[in-house]
Amino acid sequence: MGKKLLLEHDHVPGIQGYDVYRKNGGYASVEKAIKTMSPEALVEEVKKSGLRGRGGAGFPTGMKWSFLAKPEGVPRYLVCNADESEPGTFKDRYLMSRIPHILVEGMIASSFALGVNKAFIYIRGEYYYIVNILEKAIEEAYANGWLGTNILGTGYNLDLYVQVGAGAYICGEETALLESLEGKRGNPRIKPPFPAIAGLYGCPTVVNNVETLASVVPVINMGGDAYAQIGIGKSTGTKLISASGHINKPGVYEIEMGITVEDFIYSDEYCGGILNGKKLKAVVAGGSSVPVLPADKILNLANGEKRLMSYESLSDGGFGGGTMLGSGGFIVMDETTSIVENLFTFARFYHHESCGQCSPCREGTAWMEKILHKIVDGHGTMADIDLLWEIQAKIEGNTICPLGDAAAWPVASAIRHFRSEFEEYVSNPSGVKKNKHYDSVHNNVNV
Amino acid sequence: MADIKFSEDTLALANKIIARYPEGKQKSALLPLLHLAQAEFDGWLSPATMQYVASLLQIQEVEVYEVASFYSMFNLKPVGKCLIEVCRTSSCWLRGANEIIEHLENKLGIKEGQTTPDGMFTLKTVECLGSCGSAPMMQIGAQYHENLSYEKVDGILDTCKAEGTRKTYLDKVVVDKY
């Protein structure tokens, strides 16, 4: 069994409630932080831990915190990004609904470290039922003196609120999230200034993912150095992986970074192998935005060594031969999967979710969906494949926020690694339709 | 439509939400209030409902409309009592979402985007709802229905029909049984 820092108690009955959570060591990090440490020392611990943002970008959390401006008399804000919307990702949902107090605890300790007196959890609207779970946890935290005024008699004050979104992937981008929290459309802001200087209401703001803030709890409890011992290289600590697709045991798994991809897919501790004894065809390792890799490339590096579940190993080989850990949304596809049709669902997704602010993304995502629809429908030409390539290349790097890149990378990687499949759709459309190989119906339990 | 007005309880909750934000930043309450309004006023945001929310926050009506039209959970047209939202993105597609959508269309006798003549069901396809590990899935109101099979879908539709009530995102439901 791998080391568990976040989900250690996830199967303890009643862990959703305060009493059981507290009995299992809950809120110890807040006690330690507020009573025995200075905010500066806390930021130092997080820096030492090597903790990196768990939302997808992997930016060092301690460094992000140290950028926070601290002008006199100006309030600062901490905002938890619980807008989890990256296709393939459902770890924050699991964590918040199962152990809501770990997020509340992490936010209190983090707020103290940042000198924040008002914090928000911005959660995607579709998770409305979790709003109720979080608000109950927050209420319990207030009732037990962990939130409100004069926390633990130290004179420190903190209020924590849950803010609900209303269905927009783009609000996972931190400046779009802040716009939305201000009651506006979720259009990302031009940076700089970064939120650390001018964020919510123009005030210095830190935006961190749910899992990142929850991870602050073990970082404080065990100390930054000890946390950094877990994992491998610059991928310290544990990571929650959302495993879905053609596997025997879909679900959320906490892994110590550094286990092999092969072990993650095939061992009974994790995914338990491919569904129905089929062969592995491809994996999207870190949510829909990261490059798709064929079986041999996801399991092994170019030098023949086994690929590991870590930031560095997954990106080994660059965009030509590697991918990214991203949000940890691990989508597994068996040998019968049509890469082209799966890509079509991604293209449709990004077209739907583009905020429309930048023309390369607004127009490009629409055209990519249209062309892929044409190919899937059996009316594509070879020139369409080149056109797709050209469009994605013109989106990448030419937009205000990373949604453009996120829309381009899946298209680029699918064509790079599976071009022959696109060509088959073009040259033999009726054959593709008849071919069981590209028939999604087999996946359904009803057929 | 002068009768668009929150109930006493809802108004109290709305005021509590508005009070969370710093002085002059009450517009932050817009999304939460639109959720309350949609749930209370027949599952959609009519122009009159949006005018009412604007008046509560003392902002321009167009500020409400531009936000309401941006987010996919806000309905700008009437919907059935049960808005069925079926996820169609990758992981759900891999596990048979298209077949579930087709089954729903046949069963309800409507196409995606349409409402049944009795006003009971509206069928909508949506992008990833974060239920990839329990695909295929659909959401009705606050409730996630996961690991769907045809039989399970049929049972859910029957239950909805028997209950006959409007389902909203604010419903108190237990999705994850821990």
Side-chain angles (χ1 to χ4, degrees):
Chain A
M1 289 290 279
K3 205 169 187 68
K4 289 196 170 147
L5 303 177
L6 302 177
L7 301 183
E8 194 184 348
H9 303 298
D10 70 337
H11 280 84
V12 175
I15 195 70
Q16 219 184 35
Y18 175 78
D19 292 335
V20 175
Y21 181 73
R22 177 75 173 138
K23 258 182 221 136
N24 283 277
Y27 290 93
S29 75
V30 175
E31 261 180 322
K32 183 176 176 185
I34 297 189
K35 283 190 176 164
T36 71
M37 297 172 75
S38 69
E40 296 73 29
L42 280 164
V43 175
E44 248 346 276
E45 283 308 310
V46 174
K47 271 190 185 167
K48 274 195 268 180
S49 74
L51 176 64
R52 293 164 70 173
R54 302 292 196 233
F59 191 81
T61 305
M63 201 185 291
K64 193 173 192 178
W65 285 12
S66 66
F67 292 153
L68 186 67
K70 295 176 177 170
E72 270 304 306
V74 178
R76 289 163 231 153
Y77 294 100
L78 173 65
V79 179
C80 170
N81 185 344
D83 192 61
E84 182 171 66
S85 313
E86 175 86 1
T89 316
F90 47 100
K91 63 179 178 81
D92 295 339
R93 175 184 163 205
Y94 180 80
L95 189 65
M96 289 187 291
S97 63
R98 195 125 193 172
I99 321 178
H101 278 285
I102 199 170
L103 174 59
V104 176
E105 179 179 353
M107 287 195 73
I108 299 169
S110 303
S111 295
F112 179 73
L114 297 166
V116 162
N117 300 113
K118 193 174 267 204
F120 293 93
I121 300 170
Y122 180 98
I123 187 166
R124 67 178 298 186
E126 293 88 342
Y127 289 176
Y128 218 114
Y129 75 96
I130 302 177
V131 173
N132 301 327
I133 296 171
L134 288 171
E135 284 186 338
K136 182 157 182 276
I138 290 170
E139 205 176 290
E140 289 174 325
Y142 270 104
N144 287 282
W146 302 104
L147 280 170
T149 50
N150 196 20
I151 296 168
L152 301 181
T154 57
Y156 176 61
N157 306 328
L158 176 65
D159 284 313
L160 175 58
Y161 302 103
V162 183
Q163 175 87 5
V164 66
Y169 168 71
I170 190 62
C171 292
E173 195 278 335
E174 60 180 11
T175 61
L177 186 155
L178 295 173
E179 286 286 296
S180 181
L181 183 41
E182 292 182 6
K184 302 175 197 159
R185 294 166 73 93
N187 288 342
R189 297 174 181 168
I190 294 171
K191 291 174 274 190
F194 287 90
I197 309 297
L200 185 62
Y201 310 130
C203 301
T205 303
V206 167
V207 183
N208 283 144
N209 168 261
V210 173
E211 187 188 346
T212 312
L213 289 166
S215 296
V216 170
V217 172
V219 166
I220 294 173
N221 283 337
M222 66 202 303
D225 287 331
Y227 186 91
Q229 294 300 308
I230 302 163
I232 183 167
K234 285 184 177 170
S235 298
T236 63
T238 61
K239 176 84 188 84
L240 297 181
I241 306 290
S242 320
S244 69
H246 296 141
I247 45 174
N248 284 315
K249 291 170 59 199
V252 175
Y253 297 101
E254 180 169 13
I255 61 156
E256 181 170 348
M257 281 194 271
I259 66 169
T260 66
V261 174
E262 187 178 305
D263 193 32
F264 183 69
I265 296 176
Y266 291 102
S267 94
D268 282 334
E269 197 182 337
Y270 304 112
C271 301
I274 310 299
L275 201 60
N276 301 326
K278 294 254 180 2
K279 285 202 190 89
L280 174 68
K281 178 172 186 175
V283 172
V284 174
S288 58
S289 307
V290 311
V292 60
L293 283 185
D296 60 324
K297 287 198 166 65
I298 187 69
L299 295 174
N300 305 300
L301 300 174
N303 65 10
E305 282 175 26
K306 288 194 186 309
R307 198 183 283 277
L308 310 178
M309 297 289 283
S310 72
Y311 290 99
E312 291 74 24
S313 189
L314 282 168
S315 59
D316 191 289
F319 267 24
T323 179
M324 289 192 290
L325 178 61
S327 64
F330 198 87
I331 308 172
V332 178
M333 294 171 236
D334 76 12
E335 57 189 312
T336 64
T337 309
S338 162
I339 295 295
V340 182
E341 288 190 38
N342 182 65
L343 180 64
F344 169 66
T345 77
F346 283 157
R348 186 174 56 187
F349 171 84
Y350 287 108
H351 175 210
H352 184 264
E353 301 300 341
S354 173
C355 81
Q357 192 173 212
C358 311
S359 40
C361 174
R362 181 185 63 237
E363 305 300 322
T365 53
W367 279 108
M368 291 198 301
E369 185 198 338
K370 269 184 205 162
I371 295 166
L372 276 161
H373 188 255
K374 187 180 164 196
I375 293 174
V376 167
D377 235 22
H379 306 291
T381 65
M382 291 297 174
D384 284 331
I385 305 172
D386 296 326
L387 186 56
L388 264 182
W389 182 269
E390 210 177 297
I391 294 170
Q392 67 79 22
K394 283 180 177 165
I395 300 175
E396 190 190 359
N398 292 322
T399 54
I400 287 176
C401 89
L403 192 143
D405 300 345
W409 295 338
V411 174
S413 58
I415 298 178
R416 180 180 293 123
H417 299 299
F418 297 96
R419 191 180 174 102
S420 62
E421 214 171 297
F422 289 80
E423 290 170 352
E424 204 180 331
Y425 267 82
V426 168
S427 59
N428 185 17
S430 54
V432 166
K433 291 259 179 216
K434 276 187 217 144
N435 192 343
K436 277 259 183 322
H437 218 71
Y438 297 138
D439 176 2
S440 69
V441 173
H442 74 283
N443 298 321
N444 196 289
V445 290
N446 303 287
V447 179
Chain B
M1 296 266 283
D3 55 339
I4 291 280
K5 213 175 161 192
F6 278 145
S7 69
E8 221 169 277
D9 286 354
T10 311
L11 189 62
L13 178 58
N15 284 327
K16 208 173 131 191
I17 293 170
I18 294 169
R20 285 174 187 169
Y21 312 102
E23 194 62 38
K25 306 295 180 193
Q26 80 283 356
K27 192 181 169 182
S28 277
L30 184 49
L31 270 70
L33 259 58
L34 286 174
H35 274 298
L36 298 182
Q38 181 164 283
E40 191 148 319
F41 305 124
D42 301 324
W44 72 295
L45 299 172
S46 68
T49 300
M50 288 190 270
Q51 279 166 12
Y52 174 65
V53 172
S55 72
L56 286 178
L57 293 175
Q58 294 170 303
I59 56 177
Q60 299 295 322
E61 288 158 20
V62 68
E63 292 180 82
V64 177
Y65 179 75
E66 68 171 9
V67 164
S69 60
F70 183 85
Y71 296 92
S72 60
M73 289 172 76
F74 294 135
N75 305 312
L76 299 182
K77 286 183 186 149
V79 293
K81 282 185 176 173
C82 297
L83 174 61
I84 304 173
E85 300 178 273
V86 195
C87 175
R88 61 183 187 179
T89 322
S90 179
S91 300
C92 274
W93 171 78
L94 288 169
R95 298 298 288 259
N98 284 5
E99 290 69 34
I100 293 293
I101 294 164
E102 212 176 287
H103 179 70
L104 279 161
E105 287 183 335
N106 292 334
K107 189 89 186 161
L108 297 171
I110 54 173
K111 290 283 168 199
E112 177 204 334
Q114 295 178 337
T115 301
T116 52
D118 62 357
M120 194 62 214
F121 297 103
T122 298
L123 181 61
K124 184 179 172 187
T125 57
V126 295
E127 300 301 342
C128 187
L129 293 181
S131 182
C132 324
S134 27
M137 70 81 66
M138 63 186 187
Q139 178 169 24
I140 303 177
Q143 186 75 49
Y144 273 40
H145 299 282
E146 308 180 297
N147 297 307
L148 293 177
S149 63
Y150 292 166
E151 293 73 29
K152 212 167 164 183
V153 168
D154 293 349
I156 293 161
L157 295 183
D158 288 345
T159 308
C160 284
K161 257 191 182 164
E163 290 173 356
T165 51
R166 180 172 291 285
K167 303 283 188 286
T168 83
Y169 297 122
L170 276 61
D171 293 344
K172 299 275 185 243
V173 298
V174 178
V175 175
D176 309 289
K177 296 176 190 69
Y178 305 132

